[in-house]
Amino acid sequence: MELAEAIERSRVNDVFLRKGPRTPQPGSLALTGHHLIFSPAVDAATAARSPNAHVDELWLLHSAVDRVASEAISRDNPSKGGLLTLKCKNFMMCVFEISKLDDCEAVARSIETLSNLNDVRLEYPFFYRCSFTVLDDGWTAFDAEQEFARLQVRSDAWRLSFVNKDFRVCPSYPEAVIVPKGIGDDYLRSSASFREDGRFPVLSYYHRDTRSSILRCSQPLVGPNGRRSKEDEAILNSLLGAAAKGYIIDTRSLNAANSARSRGGGSEPKQNYSRWSYVHRPVPRWKELHDALSKLVEACNDSSASSDRWLSKLGGCGWLQAVADTLTCACVVAQCVDREGSDDSRETEVPVIVHGAEGTDSTLLVTSLSTLLLDADARTVRGFEGLIEREWIAAGHPFWLRCAHGAYATGAITGPFEAPTFLLFLDCVWQVYQQFPCSFEFTEEFLIFLFEHAYASEFGSFLGNCEKEKAEYGIKKSTVSLWSFVNNPDVLQKFFNALYEPNESPLWPCVAPQSIMLWERLFLRWQRDWTHADGAQATVMQWKSREKELQSKVLVMRRQLVELSKEAQLYQQTQLINSLQVSDH
């Protein structure tokens, strides 16, 4: 399909922006293959004085639009024109008043088509022309070989396997994965045939302090007949060494795991995995999250609700409970690795296996969050980028399906697969950031930035559902990586947290209900005026940056003082020696 064929009206005049990110103002609309452009009207006097004056246009990606609606301003009198309402995936709402109802409906149909493209290769990242100099290619900044090289410095118990070359064993895994050193590729293939979608156990995180590890996989295909895989058992038992036990953390409830067994899935039988302790820590299923987010956004948009009614909606939507449950499970995993492994009365290595059902949603939520809690490097900008690349993008989270729509709509094709799993991850990170604001090198602005680009972006990092699709569509060859943009120095400085103080210790957030807060800067972003809050925050950051500059100068001056003291002492000794030599003569 040619994108131009979907555009029924390329330009519409006599438009009034009634609601949106700008003050209400007249102007015109233009449609391109990927953008809606609102150009504010310029009065004749201004145009005469400055014919080349810059017009502050509003550019909106069609892919950022979640839901489109058009209706007549007056049903009794259609000649009054129509209202075009765009509900966006970042929860922004734009309402345009268009003088002709036919134009309004034509624009709505065009945007509806262009915002629901079913071909990845028609998306904007394939047409975007990089407007900045790429100093650090994001497509090569994070790969398994570099990760393995860093791991080898800390442990020799692992190896880099290419058993998934050309994605033959597991279509949702990358070609290179890190696995236990003593396990051959034949065992990995056998384990893949025993795990849903071929997702055999691979390393997610290695904790240097306790030499413990976190691995992830999908559920075993035990089924009602009690199927087993001795090769899979051997892989897991090879992790134990002399340790008495390891932990299998199932992100499903016991009932859900038992129900899955009747459909061919299930959990590891205790008689075959006797050295493993099985723990169920339920995390909301991805199918439940879309409904919870929709109810939350609906509550946030309800400005007429009383305080009691609003709090009731907030508590009843289920989103904050999902945040609490996810953080709880991540803390359990982190405690098994850090606290159990540090017990002097037992071997230090405590391997932890994390899985749910498919292994592409709740599993990744838990492994990435537990890594964030344990690893100080994951709380830096570049470390966090690497965490997302490794535990979300390369790990096979289906971004193309999950982020096809947001809170306002569901797609005709992708609807059954849509879920804000990645947004839940970012919300959990924000909760930890709120409790430990000095332990993160980045600010919440960076988290919001990532949320928006996961749903609609000019960059290709979140395109496709896995590395296999990225290879098939040539995404890494034809698009620009988001990390290439973020790591540009001019951009990077906007996301730095001036309060940051490196903290090597694990973080243990409180997950009590009173500690889980609504992320107001995201969910109430378009309902409130944040000018004063942002100004106060900017002032704090400026003073903190100034404090750090002065502290650096103090350190430099102290070093200079030490050097001068040494020089003065040396000079005095020289003078003393010279005076003694003169007296001897």
Side-chain angles (χ1 to χ4, degrees), residues 505-545:
S505 301
L507 304 182
W508 303 113
C510 178
V511 294
Q514 60 268 29
S515 298
I516 304 300
M517 300 185 294
L518 175 67
W519 190 359
E520 296 184 6
R521 194 65 177 81
L522 177 69
F523 294 112
L524 298 175
R525 180 180 176 189
W526 309 105
Q527 286 81 4
R528 293 182 180 176
D529 183 0
W530 295 92
T531 305
H532 296 299
D534 289 346
Q537 181 72 8
T539 301
V540 171
M541 293 297 181
Q542 288 173 1
W543 280 109
K544 190 63 181 179
S545 297

Side-chain angles (χ1 to χ4, degrees), residues 366-569:
V366 173
T367 57
S368 55
L369 283 172
S370 55
T371 300
L372 183 88
L373 298 178
L374 293 167
D375 186 10
D377 182 65
R379 302 190 287 269
T380 65
V381 174
R382 194 173 186 86
F384 193 65
E385 292 172 4
L387 180 67
I388 292 173
E389 186 70 32
R390 183 179 69 253
E391 288 301 298
W392 286 91
I393 298 174
H397 179 67
F399 279 98
W400 178 247
L401 291 174
R402 298 289 187 265
C403 299
H405 282 279
Y408 293 116
T410 54
I413 297 176
T414 59
F417 309 102
E418 294 164 0
T421 313
F422 186 65
L423 174 57
L424 178 59
F425 164 71
L426 295 176
D427 198 335
C428 290
V429 174
W430 179 82
Q431 302 288 339
V432 182
Y433 167 77
Q434 285 297 107
Q435 296 185 33
F436 302 93
C438 299
S439 295
F440 289 80
E441 191 184 33
F442 50 85
T443 62
E444 71 172 336
E445 184 180 357
F446 186 47
L447 300 177
I448 295 174
F449 170 85
L450 292 174
F451 157 65
E452 293 191 324
H453 280 270
Y455 280 87
S457 178
E458 62 268 38
F459 305 106
S461 293
F462 294 111
L463 276 185
N465 294 311
C466 56
E467 291 293 286
K468 181 181 179 181
E469 290 190 8
K470 277 185 165 58
E472 289 176 348
Y473 296 127
I475 290 174
K476 293 185 178 181
K477 295 179 180 178
S478 303
T479 71
V480 181
S481 168
L482 176 66
W483 314 129
S484 298
F485 175 73
V486 172
N487 293 331
N488 189 296
D490 294 336
V491 177
L492 196 59
Q493 63 181 0
K494 296 191 302 183
F495 300 129
F496 275 132
N497 178 14
L499 303 177
Y500 176 63
E501 296 289 344
N503 177 12
E504 295 297 324
S505 301
L507 304 182
W508 303 113
C510 178
V511 294
Q514 60 268 29
S515 298
I516 304 300
M517 300 185 294
L518 175 67
W519 190 359
E520 296 184 6
R521 194 65 177 81
L522 177 69
F523 294 112
L524 298 175
R525 180 180 176 189
W526 309 105
Q527 286 81 4
R528 293 182 180 176
D529 183 0
W530 295 92
T531 305
H532 296 299
D534 289 346
Q537 181 72 8
T539 301
V540 171
M541 293 297 181
Q542 288 173 1
W543 280 109
K544 190 63 181 179
S545 297
R546 179 60 176 162
E547 179 188 356
K548 288 187 174 182
E549 290 175 6
L550 293 175
Q551 288 175 343
S552 298
K553 289 182 179 180
V554 168
L555 291 176
V556 171
M557 294 177 69
R558 283 177 176 172
R559 284 196 294 266
Q560 291 175 346
L561 179 61
V562 170
E563 291 173 0
L564 289 173
S565 298
K566 290 180 180 179
E567 291 178 5
Q569 193 174 21

Side-chain angles (χ1 to χ4, degrees), residues 40-62:
V42 179
D43 60 81
T46 303
R49 288 195 307 269
S50 305
N52 298 321
H54 172 71
V55 178
D56 188 18
E57 296 177 330
L58 170 64
W59 286 60
L60 181 65
L61 274 171
H62 296 314

Side-chain angles (χ1 to χ4, degrees), residues 163-473:
V163 66
N164 200 38
K165 183 70 175 176
D166 297 326
F167 311 101
R168 292 174 181 172
V169 176
C170 177
S172 61
Y173 269 175
E175 292 184 289
V177 292
I178 300 175
V179 297
K181 190 173 185 178
I183 299 299
D185 286 350
D186 289 342
Y187 272 59
L188 297 178
R189 293 188 187 95
S190 296
S191 175
S193 66
F194 180 65
R195 298 277 174 177
E196 182 163 340
D197 296 330
R199 294 178 70 88
F200 55 89
V202 298
L203 180 67
S204 177
Y205 172 68
Y206 178 81
H207 195 46
R208 179 178 54 190
D209 295 344
T210 60
R211 303 194 300 276
S212 300
S213 55
I214 300 174
L215 291 90
R216 50 177 162 78
C217 56
S218 59
Q219 68 174 340
L221 301 178
V222 177
N225 296 325
R227 181 187 173 197
R228 68 180 293 188
S229 168
K230 293 184 178 180
E231 291 82 4
D232 187 81
E233 295 164 20
I235 293 175
L236 266 62
N237 288 334
S238 71
L239 300 168
L240 296 172
K245 279 188 177 293
Y247 290 91
I248 298 177
I249 308 295
D250 196 328
T251 62
R252 304 166 295 178
S253 66
L254 178 59
N255 289 338
N258 290 336
S259 176
R261 182 166 182 170
S262 64
R263 299 189 300 272
S267 54
E268 291 80 359
K270 293 183 179 180
Q271 64 269 23
N272 300 333
Y273 298 83
S274 58
R275 298 176 66 190
W276 293 84
S277 296
Y278 212 92
V279 180
H280 288 277
R281 280 291 174 180
V283 172
R285 301 293 90 197
W286 58 267
K287 296 177 182 179
E288 304 168 8
L289 294 177
H290 189 278
D291 185 49
L293 179 64
S294 297
K295 290 179 179 179
L296 173 61
V297 173
E298 179 186 356
C300 292
N301 289 333
D302 187 1
S303 57
S304 62
S306 63
S307 297
D308 292 342
R309 175 66 175 161
W310 190 83
L311 289 174
S312 175
K313 283 187 173 183
L314 181 63
C317 70
W319 182 263
L320 296 183
Q321 186 61 52
V323 171
D325 292 342
T326 304
L327 279 174
T328 299
C329 187
C331 287
V332 168
V333 173
Q335 285 177 335
C336 289
V337 170
D338 186 69
R339 299 295 173 87
E340 293 286 337
S342 63
D343 189 345
D344 295 334
S345 65
R346 55 172 292 167
E347 292 290 335
T348 54
E349 299 91 340
V350 179
V352 178
I353 305 291
V354 180
H355 73 70
E358 301 90 349
T360 56
D361 287 271
S362 62
T363 301
L364 305 183
L365 260 175
V366 173
T367 57
S368 55
L369 283 172
S370 55
T371 300
L372 183 88
L373 298 178
L374 293 167
D375 186 10
D377 182 65
R379 302 190 287 269
T380 65
V381 174
R382 194 173 186 86
F384 193 65
E385 292 172 4
L387 180 67
I388 292 173
E389 186 70 32
R390 183 179 69 253
E391 288 301 298
W392 286 91
I393 298 174
H397 179 67
F399 279 98
W400 178 247
L401 291 174
R402 298 289 187 265
C403 299
H405 282 279
Y408 293 116
T410 54
I413 297 176
T414 59
F417 309 102
E418 294 164 0
T421 313
F422 186 65
L423 174 57
L424 178 59
F425 164 71
L426 295 176
D427 198 335
C428 290
V429 174
W430 179 82
Q431 302 288 339
V432 182
Y433 167 77
Q434 285 297 107
Q435 296 185 33
F436 302 93
C438 299
S439 295
F440 289 80
E441 191 184 33
F442 50 85
T443 62
E444 71 172 336
E445 184 180 357
F446 186 47
L447 300 177
I448 295 174
F449 170 85
L450 292 174
F451 157 65
E452 293 191 324
H453 280 270
Y455 280 87
S457 178
E458 62 268 38
F459 305 106
S461 293
F462 294 111
L463 276 185
N465 294 311
C466 56
E467 291 293 286
K468 181 181 179 181
E469 290 190 8
K470 277 185 165 58
E472 289 176 348
Y473 296 127

